[in-house]
C-alpha cells in the first residue's frame, strides 16, 4: 500500500499561502479524470487525511455519484457506487465536521472511533455540483480551521470542475458533430435501402452505446420492423398495428418517445413484448412533412436518458429520414425503370440484367433456358378492335405468362407483342413443359381463347459457344420462326 500523505510542518498562515498555488494548479487541469486526482493531491498538501472522495450530482437525476475515491493513499477505480438511501451528509448546505466516531458513508468500511470526517459542498455560484469529503487519520479530530481550508479547496475545485466539464462538453459536442457528419456522408453514399438501414442502426448503437437499434417504417396503418441491429432488437420483417398513443405523439406532435426507469411502465404492451429491454427511446422519421417511421434504441439494463442523449438521437433521426426517403425514392424509380407500364412485367432492361447474371452462372455449369413468345394475329386484332382492346389482350397474356412462371424465374415483355421467359436450372425438357402450360392457358383464357389469340414459341438453352446473352434470344427467335414456317413440330402438339 502507498504511503499515506502527511501534512507538512507548516503554520496555518503558510497553508493559506499554499492555496494560491493550489488554485493555479487545479484550474490549469482540464481533463476531468486527471483533475480529480490533482484535487486529491493538492488537498493532501494542506490537510491530514486518510480518506478522500469527490462526489458529483447527476445532471438529470440529481443522484450523487462518487467519481474519485482514495483511502490510505490507494485510489479506487472504477468510481464507488452510492446505491441505497442517501445519507444526510451527502448534501450539506455548508461545510460540516461530522465529529468523532461519525463518517460519511464513503468511508464506512474504516474504523471511525478516533477520527472525524469533513464534508464541503462544491458550490459554483448558486449551483452545488457535488461534495468533497475527507477522513482524518487515526487519532486526529478536525477543527474549524481545517474545515475552512477544505472549504477554500472546495471553492477552487468547483471552479476547476465546472471549467473542465464545459471543456469536456465542447469537445464531446465537437466529436459528435464530426461523427454525425461522417455518418451523414456514409448514409448519402448509398441508395440501396437495406444498406442505408444497416448503416443507420449501426450508427445509432455506436453513438449511444445502445444494446439494440431499430428502424420502423410505416406500411399504411401498420408498422414494419424494417431493420434491427443488436441481440435484443425485434425480429426483422415483423408487421403489426401502430399503437394509437405512439402514432399520435409522433405524427401529430413530432415528439420523441422515452421509456426509462421513470416511465417504463407506460410502454405499450404490444411494444413491450417485442424486445426484453429495460430502457428505450424512439424519434420520428419525417420526410416531406410526413411521418414515414421511427428510429429507436434500447438498453438491456435499467437506465435514464439525458436531454442531450435525446437530442443526439433526434439529430441522427433527421439524417436517417433524408437517407431513407432517398433510398425509397430510388427503389421506386428503379422499379419504374425496370417495369413495363402496360403489363406490369419486367421490361427489356430488366431482362438484360437478369440474363447477364444467369449466363454468368451458366458458364460455371448451371442450366438456363429461354423461351420467346410472339402473339399470332395480334396486329389484325389490334387494327380491327382498336388499340384499347389490343392493350387489354397484351395485359391478359402478361398475366398468363406471370401465373405460369415461378418466382425464381423471369417473365418479361421484350417489346410490342413479344414476350420472354428465362428459366433457371432448367433444360429443354423443362422449357417445353413450360411452353405447353402457357399455350393451354392462352387457349382456355376467357378473352384470348374466344378471339383466337395464340402464341408462337421458340426455345433455346445455353451453349458454351454462345458469346453473349443476346445469343440466347436469337437462338430462341430462330427456333420460333422454324415452327411458324412449319419446319419444326409445334411444341404443344
Amino acid at each position: 500500500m502507498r504511503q499515506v500523505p502527511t501534512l507538512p510542518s507548516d503554520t496555518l498562515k503558510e497553508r493559506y499561502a499554499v492555496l494560491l498555488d493550489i488554485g493555479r494548479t487545479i484550474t490549469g487541469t482540464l481533463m476531468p479524470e486527471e483533475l480529480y486526482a490533482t484535487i486529491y493531491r493538492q488537498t493532501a498538501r494542506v490537510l491530514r487525511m486518510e480518506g478522500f472522495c469527490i462526489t458529483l450530482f447527476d445532471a438529470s437525476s440529481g443522484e450523487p455519484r462518487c467519481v474519485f475515491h482514495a483511502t490510505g493513499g490507494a485510489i479506487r477505480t472504477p468510481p464507488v457506487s452510492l446505491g441505497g438511501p442517501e445519507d444526510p451528509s451527502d448534501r450539506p448546505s455548508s461545510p460540516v465536521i461530522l465529529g468523532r466516531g461519525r463518517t460519511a458513508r464513503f468511508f464506512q468500511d474504516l474504523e471511525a472511533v478516533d477520527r472525524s470526517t469533513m464534508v464541503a459542498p462544491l458550490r459554483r455560484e448558486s449551483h452545488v455540483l457535488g461534495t468533497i469529503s475527507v477522513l482524518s487519520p487515526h487519532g486526529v479530530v478536525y477543527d474549524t480551521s481545517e474545515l475552512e481550508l477544505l472549504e477554500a479547496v472546495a471553492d477552487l475545485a468547483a471552479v476547476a470542475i465546472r471549467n473542465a466539464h464545459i471543456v469536456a462538453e465542447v469537445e464531446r459536442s465537437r466529436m459528435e458533430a464530426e461523427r454525425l457528419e461522417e455518418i451523414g456522408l456514409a448514409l448519402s453514399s448509398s441508395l440501396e435501402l437495406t444498406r442505408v438501414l444497416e448503416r443507420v442502426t449501426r450508427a445509432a448503437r455506436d453513438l449511444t452505446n445502445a444494446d439494440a437499434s431499430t428502424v420502423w417504417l410505416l406500411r399504411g396503418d401498420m408498422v414494419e420492423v424494417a431493420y434491427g441491429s443488436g441481440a435484443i432488437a425485434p425480429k426483422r420483417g415483423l408487421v403489426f398495428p401502430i399503437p394509437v398513443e405512439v402514432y399520435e405523439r409522433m405524427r401529430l406532435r413530432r415528439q420523441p418517445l422515452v421509456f426509462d426507469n421513470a416511465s417504463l411502465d407506460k410502454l405499450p404492451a404490444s411494444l413491450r413484448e417485442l424486445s426484453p429491454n429495460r430502457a428505450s427511446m424512439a424519434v420520428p422519421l419525417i420526410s416531406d412533412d410526413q411521418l414515414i417511421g421511427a428510429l429507436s434504441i434500447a438498453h438491456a439494463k435499467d437506465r435514464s436518458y439525458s436531454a442531450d442523449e435525446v437530442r443526439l438521437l433526434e439529430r441522427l433521426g433527421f439524417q436517417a429520414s433524408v437517407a431513407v426517403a432517398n433510398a425509397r425514392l430510388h427503389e421506386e424509380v428503379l422499379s419504374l425503370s425496370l417495369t413495363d407500364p402496360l403489363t406490369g412485367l419486367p421490361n427489356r432492361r430488366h431482362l438484360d440484367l437478369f440474363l447477364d447474371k444467369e449466363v454468368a452462372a451458366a458458364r460455371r455449369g448451371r442450366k438456363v433456358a429461354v423461351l420467346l413468345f410472339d402473339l399470332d394475329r395480334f396486329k389484325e386484332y389490334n387494327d380491327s378492335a382498336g388499340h384499347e382492346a389490343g392493350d387489354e389482350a397484351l395485359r391478359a397474356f402478361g398475366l398468363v405468362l406471370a401465373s405460369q412462371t415461378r418466382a425464381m424465374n423471369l417473365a418479361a415483355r421484350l417489346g410490342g407483342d413479344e414476350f420472354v421467359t428465362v428459366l433457371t436450372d432448367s433444360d429443354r425438357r423443362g422449357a417445353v413443359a413450360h411452353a405447353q402450360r402457357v399455350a393451354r392457358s392462352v387457349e382456355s383464357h376467357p378473352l384470348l381463347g374466344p378471339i383466337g389469340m395464340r402464341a408462337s414459341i421458340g426455345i433455346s438453352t445455353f451453349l458454351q459457344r454462345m458469346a453473349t446473352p443476346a445469343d440466347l434470344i436469337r437462338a430462341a427467335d430462330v427456333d420460333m420462326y422454324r415452327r411458324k414456317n412449319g419446319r419444326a413440330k409445334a411444341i404443344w402438339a
Side-chain angles (χ1 to χ4, degrees), residues 4 26 36 44 65 133 161 165 170-171 212 264 277 330 461-462:
V4 177
I26 291 177
Y36 304 146
R65 181 172 62 94
S133 304
I161 289 173
H165 285 185
V170 170
E171 179 64 12
L264 189 62
N277 68 76
H330 175 73
T461 56
F462 178 78

Side-chain angles (χ1 to χ4, degrees), residues 14-24 46 149 152-153 156:
E14 289 171 333
R15 293 188 208 173
Y16 278 108
V18 173
L19 287 174
L20 294 175
D21 184 53
I22 290 176
R24 287 191 294 268
V46 293
L149 281 172
V153 171
L156 295 171

Side-chain angles (χ1 to χ4, degrees), residues 85-296:
E86 289 188 35
D87 186 281
S89 64
D90 290 344
R91 299 176 184 271
S93 57
S94 58
V96 59
I97 300 176
L98 298 185
R100 185 187 298 272
R102 290 189 59 201
T103 64
R105 60 173 170 161
F106 327 121
F107 310 127
Q108 287 177 356
D109 57 335
L110 298 177
E111 178 65 39
V113 174
D114 61 345
R115 63 175 88 210
S116 64
T117 301
M118 294 190 297
V119 183
L122 292 165
R123 188 181 294 106
R124 182 69 180 124
E125 297 175 348
S126 61
H127 183 60
V128 178
L129 307 177
T131 62
I132 290 182
S133 304
V134 294
L135 177 70
S136 69
H138 282 288
V140 175
V141 177
Y142 290 129
D143 58 29
T144 56
S145 64
E146 288 166 311
L147 184 63
E148 291 173 357
L149 281 172
L150 181 62
E151 181 180 14
V153 171
D155 289 342
L156 295 171
V159 174
I161 289 173
R162 180 59 179 159
N163 291 344
H165 285 185
I166 291 174
V167 171
E169 178 64 22
V170 170
E171 179 64 12
R172 184 185 65 80
S173 298
R174 183 189 67 79
M175 293 180 67
E176 283 180 0
E178 290 181 355
R179 180 73 177 115
L180 284 169
E181 183 178 2
E182 292 174 3
I183 291 169
L185 292 174
L187 293 180
S188 63
S189 68
S190 175
L191 288 174
E192 181 187 350
L193 182 59
T194 299
R195 183 64 173 155
V196 168
L197 297 180
E198 187 274 332
R199 288 176 175 175
V200 167
T201 54
R202 184 177 61 195
R205 291 183 66 192
D206 288 346
L207 282 173
T208 63
N209 294 316
D211 297 308
S213 176
T214 306
V215 173
W216 317 73
L217 294 180
L218 295 185
R219 305 293 187 197
D221 58 353
M222 308 288 279
V223 65
E224 177 189 4
V225 179
Y227 200 96
S229 172
I232 63 172
K235 185 178 179 181
R236 183 179 173 185
L238 187 63
V239 179
F240 59 94
I242 310 168
V244 175
E245 60 271 36
V246 171
Y247 185 71
E248 289 182 349
R249 179 157 183 162
M250 288 199 161
R251 180 180 176 274
L252 301 178
R253 298 197 290 272
R254 308 291 170 86
Q255 294 176 338
L257 294 170
V258 179
F259 302 103
D260 54 17
N261 292 352
S263 59
L264 189 62
D265 59 332
K266 297 180 182 179
L267 182 66
S270 58
L271 297 179
R272 193 180 302 119
E273 295 169 358
L274 298 178
S275 171
N277 68 76
R278 294 296 304 163
S280 63
M281 67 171 165
V283 296
L285 299 180
I286 307 294
S287 176
D288 292 332
D289 204 36
Q290 296 295 318
L291 179 69
I292 63 172
L295 169 63
S296 70

Side-chain angles (χ1 to χ4, degrees), residues 369-441:
V370 167
L371 292 88
L372 179 64
F373 301 84
D374 182 86
L375 296 184
D376 300 334
R377 297 188 62 251
F378 173 75
K379 186 177 185 306
E380 298 173 27
Y381 179 73
N382 190 62
D383 291 343
S384 62
H387 293 303
E388 288 188 8
D391 288 348
E392 189 61 33
L394 291 175
R395 279 193 289 267
F397 182 77
L399 289 172
V400 167
L401 205 58
S403 68
Q404 296 298 328
T405 305
R406 293 184 300 170
M408 64 180 293
N409 299 322
L410 182 79
R413 185 184 180 193
L414 191 62
D417 62 344
E418 290 187 323
F419 295 79
V420 171
T421 55
V422 182
L423 310 180
T424 63
D425 283 325
S426 181
D427 56 13
R428 190 173 188 85
R429 179 179 298 179
V432 169
H434 173 70
Q436 291 173 337
R437 290 194 302 271
V438 172
R440 286 193 293 267
S441 296

